[in-house]
Amino acid sequence: MNRRWGRALGGLLLALLMAAYAGPGTAGATEAATGRIPSVGTAWDQPGPYEVAVDIEVVHTFYHPKDMGQRGELHPVVIWGNGTGAVPGIYSSLLRHWASHGFIVAAANTPTSNFAISMRAGIDVLEQRNADSSSPFYRKVDLEHIGSAGHSQGGAAAVNAALDPRVDTAVPIQPGPLTDPDLMDEPVFYLAGQRDLMVWPALVKALYRDSSHVPAVYGEVRGAGHLSSIGDGGDFRAPTTAWLRFWLMGDENARGTFFGPGCGSCTDSELWSGWDRNTRALQIPGPTA
């Protein structure tokens, strides 16, 4: 087991143990006392508990909870890559949605994100601000839990960004072909669109099959075209939110969506026209209750 996968699973085990010791009716008190991100149950497609602020800068646009760390919690990071010719504003509602769930999203402003240079620089910026006592991000960024995500060219960039040892999981949405999954070693959730005529599902499935060395999941959204994930994310919004909350927050409510013999997505033929999990993903246990 590599260091990053082991660290992520260790965090999930800790979260499970903490939940087991929280008695009925104590969830809110436990979150406040331990600085945990509030639970949202399984309402992945609904706005999270945080009001969102947006900082538009030259290189990045940051989407983040307006009152970061209000419970003493640290906020995990998602670095974002745009599709070809696109800017973060095209995906603003999706990125705001993730921020409402407690993430700090560092969206690279570049319309050519494939090599993930600006995406990875977003981590550098947040590392600096987390250490700067004059910054609103000061000691509020969870730099131990970072995900990469993106659409189309940015989807390929999400995989390329995962070569950075600071990244813990990747979410490539309808990713382009200019990437090599063999170079990454993080859990990855590939998303395709059933009616995508630009990035055919077969191309995404090929990247998934080339990821046998890591826990990998493939989801093909029924009826989705290549632009179905822009704006508020459409039917991509809920599953990506659940994946990020599971791997970056240790949110046990999301475990059963992806893992275990009867996982929720495994039987959701209304959302998925295709669904698959590789051998390493099948080794991740499902919910204990």
Side-chain angles (χ1 to χ4, degrees), residues 121-178:
I123 304 175
D124 300 331
V125 172
L126 289 172
E127 285 180 338
Q128 294 167 5
R129 295 182 181 179
N130 189 60
D132 181 358
S133 60
S134 66
S135 170
F137 292 90
Y138 180 56
R139 294 184 177 177
K140 297 181 175 70
V141 187
D142 186 354
L143 294 167
E144 293 299 313
H145 295 92
I146 299 174
S148 60
H151 172 242
S152 194
Q153 181 180 158
V159 177
N160 292 335
L163 275 62
D164 191 307
R166 297 171 295 183
V167 174
D168 299 291
T169 188
V171 182
I173 302 172
Q174 299 165 292
L178 298 180

Side-chain angles (χ1 to χ4, degrees), residues 34-223:
T34 61
R36 294 171 60 191
I37 301 288
S39 172
V40 295
T42 57
W44 317 124
D45 64 333
Q46 298 301 309
Y50 294 93
E51 186 178 350
V52 175
V54 181
D55 304 329
I56 302 175
E57 302 179 7
V58 175
V59 181
H60 301 94
T61 298
F62 292 96
Y63 300 80
H64 59 86
K66 183 176 181 181
D67 297 317
M68 292 181 288
Q70 60 185 327
R71 301 170 180 83
E73 71 273 43
L74 298 178
H75 298 277
V77 174
V78 179
I79 54 175
W80 172 263
N82 308 301
T84 303
V87 294
I90 293 177
Y91 307 94
S92 181
S93 293
L94 174 61
L95 306 184
R96 284 176 176 270
H97 179 78
W98 289 344
S100 79
H101 279 261
F103 297 100
I104 296 171
V105 182
N109 290 337
T110 178
T112 53
S113 59
N114 200 96
F115 295 107
I117 296 171
S118 296
M119 290 173 67
R120 295 170 63 178
I123 304 175
D124 300 331
V125 172
L126 289 172
E127 285 180 338
Q128 294 167 5
R129 295 182 181 179
N130 189 60
D132 181 358
S133 60
S134 66
S135 170
F137 292 90
Y138 180 56
R139 294 184 177 177
K140 297 181 175 70
V141 187
D142 186 354
L143 294 167
E144 293 299 313
H145 295 92
I146 299 174
S148 60
H151 172 242
S152 194
Q153 181 180 158
V159 177
N160 292 335
L163 275 62
D164 191 307
R166 297 171 295 183
V167 174
D168 299 291
T169 188
V171 182
I173 302 172
Q174 299 165 292
L178 298 180
T179 188
D180 183 0
D182 288 329
L183 300 178
M184 64 175 294
D185 61 358
E186 295 82 10
V188 56
F189 183 22
Y190 290 99
L191 291 115
Q194 182 188 23
R195 303 190 185 282
D196 190 339
L197 301 180
M198 185 172 294
V199 178
W200 298 344
L203 300 177
V204 183
K205 197 69 174 286
L207 293 175
Y208 160 74
R209 287 172 175 157
D210 198 23
S211 302
S212 59
H213 58 295
V214 297
V217 175
Y218 171 83
E220 182 182 296
V221 176
R222 184 173 297 281

